[in-house]
Amino acid sequence: MRTYHCFWLLFWAGQPHQSFLTPLSKRTSGFPEKEKVLVLSGNSRQDLHRSKRSWMWNQFFLLEEYTGTDYQYVGKLHSDQDKGDGSLKYILSGDGAGDLFIINENTGDIQATKRLDREEKPVYILRAQAINRRTGRPVEPESEFIIKIHDINDNEPMFTKDVYNASIPEMSDVGTFVVQVTATDADDPTYGNSAKVVYSILQGQPYFSVESETGIIKTALLNMDRENREQYQVVIQAKDMGGQMGGLSGTTTVNITLTDVNDNPPRFPQSTYQFRAPESTPLDSPVGRIKANDADVDENAEIEYSITEGDGYDMFGITTDKDTQEGIITVKKALDFENKNLYILKVEATNTHVDPRFLYLGPFKDSATVRIQVEDVDEPPMFSRPAYIMEVKEDVPLNSVIGAVTAQDPDAAKNPVKYSVDRHTDMDRVFNINSGNGSIFTSKPLDRETLLWHNITVIAAEINNPKQSSRVPVFIKVLDVNDNAPEFAMFYETFVCENAKAEQLIQTLSAVDKDDSYNGHQFSFSLAPEAASSSNFTLQDNRDNTAGIFTRKTRYNRHETSTYFLPVVISDNDYPIQSSTETVTIRVCACDHRGKMLSCNAEALIHPTGLSTGALIAILLCIIILLVTVVLFAALRRQRKKEPLIISKEDIRDNIVSYNDEGGGEEDTQAFDIGTLRNPEAIDDNKLRRDIVPETLFMPRRTATARDNTDVRDFINQRLKENDTDPTAPPYDSLATYAYEGNGSVAESLSSLESVTTDGDQDYDYLSDWGPRFKKLADMYGSMDSDKDS
């Protein structure tokens, strides 16, 4: 009969939760009180009712990161063939056997020699076998068992990425999904809360939020505009242990970019554009560029331009530059300056990609006016505008620049332009202009109350050709400053009845102001301080630029006081506040019971009440202006006396004719010798010319004169001979003046200026005999004689 063999496996922890109940101090000294024995029995070969079974076992559980000084006890192997005599030997093989796990071959006790990390390897599969020491044969079949490592919270959550990058469209609704971050915990998710991760946001509020369980980041703020802020940095924390205190945590950064949506329509920076195009501009050539600004980017900023209307609809075209998003205006048909020199177009800019969600913001298009000036091929300077309108405050200091005009030569030469003011349009020279840059500045004080508009004309002329000039009107508006005090609208002289009652209205006052007020004048009325307390009348400001004068007492006596002078202070509300004191004359009169005036003090009717302060100031100003005018007139008369008299046409004087003769240079000292003229006998020897040799030498021919003057004739002939042979003499076409007076010329006056007054005719035929140097004179005077003869 065959005996049964049993192999027992004893371990100190049968269930996972029981492994933590066994004290660690007993791991090497003994076993738990309740041990589980796993028996493997083989059935007898003669007993066919029992089948062979493998080992029956449960998992071994060990705590990771064991910190004890002794080896950690795992469990015990035991076979029912073991009689305790040491005949059996236990062998362990598999994961970590012999290194990480060791077994006492005599007793079957298994121990762990190192700290175990569940995250490195959570399960170890080993094989156990019992053999006979003597024969080396196994007494039990080999079988496997598992050692499972229990987890502790020794790993913080780790995000799958150190930095997340995400983007969402701007203007997204609250709760819009942005990105999901994920953190993993290497601890055991099936045991405790060591791997239960909770997400929270550390940075990025109030713009974004995160779901604690899923890590989904969503928008938390409405209408986030990319044009205001494009980049956001959000810091997310993942904490294990369900977020409880003591849990480990990790963080990650999420960079969120707002992508653009078409929420901004295109807008032209100016309503009107002006361009010039010469009439010789080739077809399809650009005339100018315009651009509508769009705060969006990429395709949302793409703009399409079109000409919607205008008198040049068929003359010009417009295309879009895809790189700069500018509208390029080109010529479609040939231009003709004489036919039409100005075209006005309406250009429209429209977004090519429109988002219907933002149509409530308005139409995603804009329009502008384009003025195209056609230039002549050869024309005077052209101003950039047909007219200029400028504004200047009346208290501006002298020499202050109020604006500038611009003109340029449309020709290809681009000649420089100088500017000037047509003084016929600015007789008082109130304005001046910089001739170089066209800036207009004041040269005299301005007064809006005297003249509101100054209409002057500016002239632009080419410096090289002043005849090429053009004009442009400049309308200068003088802006008001509060430099005038309000005053009564009229001279107020009223009366009060002797039988008047208290608080009776006797006069309503109104005021005017020479200054201009954009919001309307607002005057305040009050009695002068000296009359406020002692006056027999009161003043009530109606707050509508009027005031009423009321009686303060009952009954007045004209015999005691026949006339009252009531000073009233009027102030405006502009800056700086201006005020004036006006006087109201009140006469005391006798009235009937209905208040109708019957008679007043006769003296008050005869004598004037006096002039107001404003009238006195006006009179003084008139006197001053008159005195200034007289002084200026006297100064102008004195200046005119110093000017030279106008030369009469009948005044005959010597004229100097310049032939631009350079002569023979600095060495040409023989052209004029006053000493020789005064002493004809002192004649130098002949000299040869150094510069050129005359081709033909002509000897002078003497002609008879009315009076014989031998010394002058000989002198002239001798000088002519010298000039013919002298190499240093001036060129042939020069005029030599001898200026010899002597004791009296035989020919009398040599000047032809007074020849018109003489009755006698002179014969100049001899000039043609003097050689080529006098040919010009011979032709001139000879032609005159021929004209006279004809």
Side-chain angles (χ1 to χ4, degrees):
M1 183 176 182
R2 182 178 177 85
T3 59
Y4 292 95
H5 304 282
C6 295
F7 185 34
W8 293 11
L9 176 62
L10 299 102
F11 53 93
W12 60 275
Q15 299 297 331
H17 62 276
Q18 293 175 340
S19 61
F20 296 98
L21 300 178
T22 303
L24 295 178
S25 58
K26 296 181 179 180
R27 292 176 183 171
T28 58
S29 57
F31 301 104
E33 295 178 357
K34 295 181 179 180
E35 295 178 342
K36 291 186 177 180
V37 179
L38 302 180
V39 180
L40 175 63
S41 60
N43 55 355
S44 174
R45 294 178 181 177
Q46 298 176 355
D47 189 356
L48 300 178
H49 296 287
R50 294 186 62 111
S51 60
K52 184 177 181 181
R53 295 178 301 171
S54 61
W55 285 359
M56 301 298 296
W57 51 272
N58 288 331
Q59 295 179 351
F60 287 79
F61 289 90
L62 290 181
L63 191 67
E64 69 171 331
E65 304 295 344
Y66 170 70
T67 58
T69 57
D70 298 329
Y71 290 164
Q72 188 176 5
Y73 184 77
V74 177
K76 183 180 180 64
L77 296 178
H78 186 72
S79 174
D80 56 358
Q81 298 295 322
D82 190 357
K83 304 302 181 180
D85 56 359
S87 61
L88 295 183
K89 178 181 179 182
Y90 296 96
I91 299 174
L92 188 65
S93 62
D95 295 338
D99 178 22
L100 184 59
F101 299 102
I102 60 175
I103 188 171
N104 190 318
E105 60 182 14
N106 296 321
T107 62
D109 293 329
I110 302 173
Q111 292 178 315
T113 62
K114 298 180 181 178
R115 295 174 57 183
L116 302 179
D117 189 356
R118 190 200 69 84
E119 287 70 37
E120 291 182 2
K121 190 173 180 64
V123 175
Y124 294 87
I125 300 175
L126 295 105
R127 294 180 296 275
Q129 190 176 28
I131 63 174
N132 189 299
R133 287 180 180 272
R134 183 173 57 82
T135 63
R137 293 177 179 271
V139 297
E140 296 289 349
E142 184 181 60
S143 186
E144 293 182 347
F145 66 94
I146 296 175
I147 299 177
K148 189 173 183 179
I149 309 302
H150 259 176
D151 182 51
I152 64 172
N153 190 19
D154 60 341
N155 291 277
E156 68 272 13
M158 299 292 292
F159 284 92
T160 56
K161 296 181 182 179
D162 294 334
V163 177
Y164 288 82
N165 294 306
S167 61
I168 57 167
E170 63 176 331
M171 311 296 289
S172 296
D173 295 332
V174 174
T176 301
F177 174 83
V178 179
V179 69
Q180 183 176 13
V181 296
T182 303
T184 59
D185 197 321
D187 295 324
D188 189 358
T190 63
Y191 180 75
N193 294 329
S194 297
K196 186 177 181 180
V197 177
V198 174
Y199 301 93
S200 62
I201 185 168
L202 299 182
Q203 176 183 320
Q205 295 174 326
Y207 306 103
F208 300 95
S209 63
V210 63
E211 291 183 359
S212 60
E213 295 181 1
T214 62
I216 296 176
I217 300 175
K218 298 181 179 180
T219 58
L221 191 64
L222 189 65
N223 294 333
M224 287 190 291
D225 194 355
R226 184 198 66 85
E227 285 72 34
N228 293 331
R229 183 177 176 183
E230 185 177 4
Q231 299 289 339
Y232 296 85
Q233 189 176 75
V234 179
V235 178
I236 301 297
Q237 182 189 61
K239 191 173 184 180
D240 59 14
M241 297 298 293
Q244 298 178 3
M245 184 178 297
L248 304 178
S249 63
T251 60
T252 188
T253 301
V254 183
N255 295 322
I256 302 175
T257 303
L258 296 184
T259 58
D260 186 63
V261 297
N262 193 8
D263 60 340
N264 292 280
R267 288 291 180 263
F268 284 105
Q270 58 191 69
S271 60
T272 303
Y273 294 85
Q274 293 189 6
F275 300 104
R276 289 188 175 91
E279 59 179 342
S280 60
T281 302
L283 297 181
D284 298 327
S285 296
V287 174
R289 289 172 174 253
I290 61 176
K291 183 178 182 181
N293 297 327
D294 194 328
D296 298 321
V297 295
D298 299 332
E299 68 174 14
N300 296 319
E302 293 180 359
I303 300 174
E304 183 178 359
Y305 298 88
S306 61
I307 299 175
T308 57
E309 57 182 285
D311 53 3
Y313 182 82
D314 59 341
M315 298 294 296
F316 300 93
I318 188 168
T319 58
T320 302
D321 188 334
K322 298 301 181 181
D323 295 330
T324 62
Q325 296 301 315
E326 292 178 314
I328 306 174
I329 301 175
T330 57
V331 178
K332 292 172 59 178
K333 293 184 179 180
L335 303 176
D336 187 2
F337 174 81
E338 288 72 23
N339 184 27
K340 188 175 181 62
N341 58 8
L342 179 63
Y343 294 91
I344 300 177
L345 311 174
K346 185 177 181 181
V347 178
E348 188 174 86
T350 307
N351 277 138
T352 56
H353 300 84
V354 179
D355 194 334
R357 295 176 302 169
F358 304 101
L359 290 178
Y360 70 92
L361 297 176
F364 280 73
K365 59 184 179 179
D366 195 17
S367 60
T369 301
V370 178
R371 298 167 59 92
I372 301 177
Q373 180 75 43
V374 180
E375 297 177 343
D376 194 6
V377 173
D378 185 14
E379 61 183 1
M382 296 292 295
F383 285 93
S384 60
R385 303 178 188 173
Y388 290 83
I389 299 178
M390 302 178 182
E391 294 181 346
V392 57
K393 290 188 177 181
E394 60 179 325
D395 62 344
V396 68
L398 295 181
N399 299 322
S400 297
V401 177
I402 62 174
V405 297
T406 304
Q408 63 179 356
D409 183 14
D411 301 330
K414 299 295 181 183
N415 295 321
V417 177
K418 66 177 181 180
Y419 303 90
S420 61
V421 176
D422 186 355
R423 290 305 173 189
H424 292 90
T425 62
D426 187 21
M427 299 292 291
D428 297 331
R429 295 179 177 269
V430 179
F431 301 95
N432 212 332
I433 191 169
N434 188 308
S435 63
N437 57 25
S439 60
I440 300 174
F441 55 90
T442 59
S443 57
K444 287 187 178 180
L446 303 174
D447 187 7
R448 188 200 70 88
E449 289 70 35
T450 302
L451 187 59
L452 176 61
W453 285 91
H454 293 266
N455 302 330
I456 66 173
T457 300
V458 175
I459 303 172
E462 296 180 12
I463 295 178
N464 299 334
N465 187 11
K467 293 182 179 180
Q468 292 290 345
S469 63
S470 58
R471 297 167 175 263
V472 66
V474 179
F475 306 103
I476 303 174
K477 183 179 181 181
V478 182
L479 301 179
D480 183 52
V481 296
N482 194 28
D483 59 346
N484 291 278
E487 56 188 19
F488 281 151
M490 57 179 292
F491 176 73
Y492 289 100
E493 183 176 5
T494 186
F495 71 94
V496 61
C497 296
E498 289 184 304
N499 59 355
K501 297 180 180 180
E503 303 300 324
Q504 180 179 340
L505 176 66
I506 63 173
Q507 182 65 48
T508 300
L509 307 177
S510 63
V512 294
D513 195 336
K514 294 180 180 179
D515 295 322
D516 189 13
S517 178
Y518 296 101
N519 300 322
H521 291 293
Q522 295 182 7
F523 302 126
S524 60
F525 300 83
S526 63
L527 291 177
E530 62 270 17
S533 59
S534 61
S535 176
N536 294 296
F537 303 91
T538 59
L539 181 70
Q540 178 179 337
D541 192 346
N542 298 326
R543 303 298 180 184
D544 60 353
N545 293 339
T546 63
I549 299 178
F550 294 82
T551 57
R552 174 174 283 182
K553 64 180 182 178
T554 302
R555 303 189 65 81
Y556 292 83
N557 192 339
R558 59 176 171 165
H559 299 290
E560 295 178 358
T561 304
S562 60
T563 304
Y564 293 92
F565 299 98
L566 187 65
V568 177
V569 178
I570 312 173
S571 302
D572 56 23
N573 68 332
D574 291 332
Y575 180 84
I577 295 177
Q578 300 286 346
S579 62
S580 65
T581 302
E582 302 286 337
T583 302
V584 179
T585 302
I586 304 174
R587 292 183 296 156
V588 181
C589 301
C591 304
D592 57 11
H593 65 282
R594 292 177 298 179
K596 183 178 181 180
M597 181 180 65
L598 299 177
S599 64
C600 297
N601 192 306
E603 183 179 359
L605 294 174
I606 297 174
H607 297 288
T609 58
L611 297 175
S612 64
T613 304
L616 292 175
I617 293 175
I619 293 173
L620 290 176
L621 288 176
C622 292
I623 295 173
I624 293 172
I625 293 172
L626 182 60
L627 290 176
V628 172
T629 304
V630 172
V631 172
L632 291 176
F633 181 78
L636 290 175
R637 289 290 301 272
R638 183 175 301 174
Q639 184 177 2
R640 289 177 181 177
K641 291 180 180 180
K642 295 180 180 180
E643 295 177 353
L645 296 175
I646 300 176
I647 299 173
S648 175
K649 294 182 180 179
E650 300 299 326
D651 187 11
I652 301 174
R653 302 190 180 188
D654 291 339
N655 294 324
I656 299 176
V657 180
S658 176
Y659 291 91
N660 296 327
D661 175 32
E662 297 183 358
E666 296 180 356
E667 297 182 357
D668 184 9
T669 59
Q670 303 299 324
F672 180 78
D673 189 355
I674 191 63
T676 305
L677 287 175
R678 294 181 179 177
N679 186 10
E681 297 177 358
I683 299 175
D684 296 337
D685 297 335
N686 294 338
K687 299 180 180 178
L688 296 177
R689 296 181 63 130
R690 294 193 300 269
D691 52 354
I692 59 174
V693 178
E695 296 178 0
T696 306
L697 298 178
F698 295 90
M699 297 302 294
R701 293 175 56 186
R702 295 184 177 87
T703 58
T705 59
R707 293 181 182 179
D708 190 11
N709 192 337
T710 306
D711 60 342
V712 174
R713 184 174 62 251
D714 293 342
F715 164 70
I716 293 176
N717 290 333
Q718 181 64 29
R719 296 297 286 177
L720 288 173
K721 183 178 180 181
E722 292 178 3
N723 287 331
D724 288 338
T725 60
D726 186 4
T728 62
Y732 294 111
D733 58 351
S734 64
L735 177 64
T737 303
Y738 300 104
Y740 174 72
E741 296 183 2
N743 296 324
S745 174
V746 176
E748 296 180 351
S749 177
L750 297 178
S751 173
S752 62
L753 296 177
E754 296 180 357
S755 62
V756 294
T757 62
T758 61
D759 296 331
D761 295 333
Q762 296 185 14
D763 184 10
Y764 297 99
D765 293 338
Y766 64 88
L767 293 174
S768 60
D769 299 332
W770 283 9
R773 296 181 180 83
F774 295 91
K775 185 177 183 303
K776 184 64 176 178
L777 291 176
D779 294 340
M780 292 173 57
Y781 286 92
S783 62
M784 291 175 62
D785 293 339
S786 64
D787 293 341
K788 186 183 295 184
D789 294 339
S790 63

